[in-house]
Amino acid sequence: MTARERSASEDRLANRERRAVRRIVGTLVLVAAGIAAFAAAAPWLRATIGVPMAGAVGVAFVILLIGYSEYFQVSQYRQLDEVQKTSQTFAVRWGASAGQVAFLILMFLPPAQDLATTVVSSFAAHGPAGSELRTSILVAMFLSFAALLVLQALATMVFGVIWWKRQS
């Protein structure tokens, strides 16, 4: 391979990496803008269509975000080579389980229990009068689900790094 061919190959690789970074940044900007727009419109939605329907719109928005993230994930996965796909398979296989175990262990530790209780209580205190118990339960379920997903994502990232470290 000549120096000119090597340079052209490196340029194509650099351009592909730049496009990938632009796609990721663009996706993050779209998601952040969508979340900000929904957060800004939430009071107006509650006043206009009522709390139950605003909640339904919120659920639909979350489903839209989850669907878009799945689409983005699949499109990124298709662009990986064999070695990168193997790394992702290893990371996803072990990261999800490790995140679940980490969540269970954290929920048995008193400091994590105190933090969860404080967060849920503060959210429930701002709910409508007479609905503190229902609000507490809903907030606890949603925050638990979110915490589980965050721990799974972190564990998946860690297992991806572990795979690459083992290969080098």
Side-chain angles (χ1 to χ4, degrees), residues 6 14 16 45-46 50 59 64 69 71 86 120 129 135 143 155-156:
R6 193 171 325 141
R16 189 176 335 154
L45 281 172
R46 279 190 220 108
V59 169
L64 175 73
S69 70
Y71 165 76
T86 305
V120 170
T135 304
L143 290 179
T156 300

Side-chain angles (χ1 to χ4, degrees), residues 110-123:
Q113 292 172 354
D114 294 341
L115 175 66
T117 304
T118 303
V119 170
V120 170
S121 297
S122 69
F123 274 105

